[in-house]
Structure formats: structure tokens, C-alpha cells
Amino acid sequence: MKRHTIGVAGLTAALLLAPAHSAFAGGPVDKGTTNTRKNTGLKDDTLYAAVSYDTSKNGSGSSVGHVSATGTSWTPPACWLAPKWTAKQFAKQTESDFKNVTTDPNQPNYAKNATNEFREKYKDGEYKNYNLDKQDDGMWWGAVENPNAPILDRTACNSTLPFWVENGRTPRVKNAISPEILAGLAYEQIKVPGTEVTLAPSGPTKVNLATWAWLDKGDFKPVSVTASITAPGLNMQATTVAKPVSLKLQPGTEDAETYPASGDCAINDDGSIGEPYVTGKADVTPPCGIKYLRSSDGGTFKLQATVTWEITWTGTGGTGGGLPDGTFGNDQDVRVQEAQAVNH
């Protein structure tokens, strides 16, 4: 399958003055994400390109949030190419855009000429009559934007003109929808619980006394989101899974020590983090905790507890792999008093 790219600079310039729904350049650009579980039957005005998400196994609750990729410049896909129109839909859209632009007195001639050039390509040029005689044999593919991506990044696919793909085939072109792209979009939808840790001994934390920190096993478990796209001859999906692997404690002041020294507390085999404090262990070094070396002077320190989540994915055709680890955390206030002050 050939990849068709724009060859006339004026065609791109014409876009700036044409209506937002114009079929110039990359063709009509769909905002391609939806939270629906499943795409239903196609109507005359329905585009196939929307990605569906199954979030039934996602994190829940009032404190949930999206993970942030760490240690990398990776970001979820900003755009992709996907099946969008039947032949009838594409013909209807292009003819409507042609009429709207060419009959608009406010459109300059070069915009009208560009619209005519686009229409000519698919009606009487390289393609014949929008491939209406192949209505049941294939789909028109085009650019889809991720509405969550930066505006400038979304346009990376828009120079690709709509192209015809037979049902059951995936074109070998850059940015064509793939399980890996779906996995990246699912990553963007992942939500994980907040991380307010339990601290003990109870009451205000005391200077130079180790404070135990932990999270119960019921609080943290793997979550997942499945992204899918369905069209004639194309049924593709990917499931992205986030698994908690460690908790990082940042005391909120340099005058503190963490346990372990790195501040990274590993996940236990049962899914818990750290170990609950038991009376009588005040002088025992905790497996996960903090020791503040000075008081908070009547105020509080902002303890930051951040969980790192390992991200992996599996997809259609036995595909799969890893994605950048993600982090999500919360701040909580910790009041620290001098030990002698507590006795007064």
C-alpha cells in the first residue's frame, strides 16, 4: 500500500483559511478517543477510528490519579493513522467540504483550488469515484489526533492524505495503528490509588525517634486498561498493566534520615509495603520509615510518598513488552516535636 503525502505547499496554506472540518491535506482529522466500552454498529455519520477503553480493572476511589512516566522523554502517541470512513462516508464528506468551501465568498481562490484538487484526486484522478464500487471491500484510512497530546505534536500525521486499504490488511506506513500504539494510549488512561502512608508510633512524630511507615496490602495491587479498535477486517487491542514495585519516602526536609537510606521501600510478597508498628519496637530500626533530626517548629513537614509502578503490555498477535515505569504520589503533613516538649 502506497503512502500518499502532500506535495503542494499551497495546499497546506489553504488549510489555514478553510473550515475546520475541511478535507484538505490529511483529510478530516478525527479526535480519536472515547471511553465507551465497545463500538456499536456503524451509521452514516459514524467514524471507525475511535479507540475504545475498558477501564473496569482500573484504580478507583477519590485519591486516584494518572501515573507519570519517569526517567524518559516517552509520551503517549500524539496521533496515528486508522480506518475512518466507508467509501460512501468519504464521498459524502469530501463532496460536502467541496461545496462549503467553493461556495463561500470569504474563501480565497487558492483555498478553493486546493479543495478542488483534493476532490479531483479521489473522484476522477488517482482513485475513481471514491472507490464506491469497492464499498464492501475496504476502508479509507486517515489521520487521528490524540486530544490529550500537545497541539503541535498532534499534527505529525496530518500530512498523510487519506488512502484506501483492503479489509483485513494493515498498511506498512509510519504511524499506522498498532497494538503498541494502543498500549501507549491505554497507559495514558491508567489510574492508581493515592499513597497516604500510615505512620507510628501514634501522635506527633518525635525528633531522633524512628517513625515506622507502611501501606496495607489491600491498598496496592496491579491495575490495567485495555484499548481496542474495531473495523471491517480489523480487530486490534492491547492491555496495559501497572504493577506497584516500590515506595519512595521524601521527608520534606534535609534534616532527616530514611529507612532504608535510599528512601525506597520494596513491595512485600503479599503486596504490602513496610511493616506495621507494634508496641515495644520504638527503638527498633523499621524496614521502611523516617527519623527526623529537628522539629517542625510548630508547623509541619511535607512528607512525600510516591509509589513506582512497573508498566507492561500485551496485545493482538502475541505482541507485548515494557513501557516506562510510572509514578504517582501524595504529600501529607507531618508534625515533628522535640522529645522533651512532649513531656510538659
Side-chain angles (χ1 to χ4, degrees):
M1 179 59 60
K2 296 180 179 179
R3 180 187 180 190
H4 304 284
T5 55
I6 192 167
V8 182
L11 197 56
T12 300
L15 269 170
L16 300 177
L17 294 177
H21 61 273
S22 171
F24 295 149
V29 177
D30 182 41
K31 301 299 187 293
T33 55
T34 175
N35 287 323
T36 56
R37 181 95 184 261
K38 180 180 180 182
N39 285 332
T40 56
L42 181 71
K43 297 180 180 179
D44 288 343
D45 58 352
T46 301
L47 299 180
Y48 275 103
V51 173
S52 297
Y53 298 102
D54 179 355
T55 58
S56 62
K57 297 180 181 179
N58 213 353
S60 60
S62 59
S63 64
V64 297
H66 296 284
V67 295
S68 299
T70 59
T72 177
S73 59
W74 180 90
T75 58
C79 67
W80 56 94
L81 302 173
K84 294 177 63 173
W85 313 274
T86 65
K88 289 181 180 179
Q89 288 175 319
F90 186 60
K92 179 180 178 181
Q93 178 74 57
T94 304
E95 290 295 324
S96 174
D97 290 340
F98 173 76
K99 180 179 179 181
N100 289 337
V101 174
T102 56
T103 59
D104 184 352
N106 295 319
Q107 291 288 349
N109 286 334
Y110 62 79
K112 295 179 179 180
N113 291 337
T115 308
N116 183 66
E117 179 183 335
F118 182 91
R119 175 176 179 260
E120 191 71 17
K121 174 183 178 69
Y122 296 98
K123 190 173 188 298
D124 300 309
E126 180 178 347
Y127 298 97
K128 301 301 179 183
N129 200 26
Y130 305 106
N131 278 357
L132 287 173
D133 60 334
K134 301 178 181 180
Q135 167 72 16
D136 298 325
D137 300 329
M139 294 281 294
W140 286 104
W141 284 49
V144 185
E145 293 181 359
N146 181 349
N148 301 315
I151 293 177
L152 293 179
D153 293 346
R154 299 181 200 172
T155 61
C157 303
N158 291 353
S159 63
T160 303
L161 291 167
F163 56 97
W164 181 260
V165 179
E166 294 179 1
N167 292 337
R169 297 184 62 185
T170 301
R172 295 181 178 275
V173 297
K174 183 180 180 181
N175 296 320
I177 192 69
S178 67
E180 187 171 5
I181 287 177
L182 290 174
L185 294 172
Y187 186 114
E188 189 174 45
Q189 300 296 322
I190 287 284
K191 288 184 178 181
V192 297
T195 53
E196 183 171 354
V197 297
T198 303
L199 301 175
S202 60
T205 299
K206 302 167 184 62
V207 173
N208 292 322
L209 180 66
T211 299
W212 293 52
W214 71 92
L215 290 164
D216 293 331
K217 62 181 180 181
D219 294 338
F220 288 89
K221 57 185 178 181
V223 299
S224 67
V225 170
T226 297
S228 60
I229 184 169
T230 303
L234 179 65
N235 186 357
M236 186 182 294
Q237 67 176 28
T239 298
T240 299
V241 178
K243 177 184 177 182
V245 292
S246 67
L247 167 72
K248 187 172 185 65
L249 297 177
Q250 295 175 287
T253 173
E254 293 183 356
D255 296 316
E257 297 176 356
T258 56
Y259 306 101
S262 64
D264 295 319
C265 303
I267 303 289
N268 300 321
D269 291 340
D270 64 358
S272 63
I273 302 176
E275 180 182 327
Y277 173 78
V278 177
T279 301
K281 286 191 173 183
D283 295 327
V284 178
T285 299
C288 180
I290 303 170
K291 180 167 70 175
Y292 286 96
L293 305 179
R294 69 176 178 88
S295 75
S296 54
D297 294 326
T300 59
F301 293 126
K302 289 288 186 181
L303 168 64
Q304 186 176 68
T306 303
V307 170
T308 295
W309 298 76
E310 181 182 71
I311 314 292
T312 59
W313 68 276
T314 56
T316 301
T319 53
L323 289 169
D325 288 349
T327 60
F328 181 69
N330 298 103
D331 292 339
Q332 60 191 87
D333 293 329
V334 178
R335 185 179 300 276
V336 182
Q337 295 180 350
E338 295 288 351
Q340 64 271 24
V342 180
N343 297 323
H344 295 303

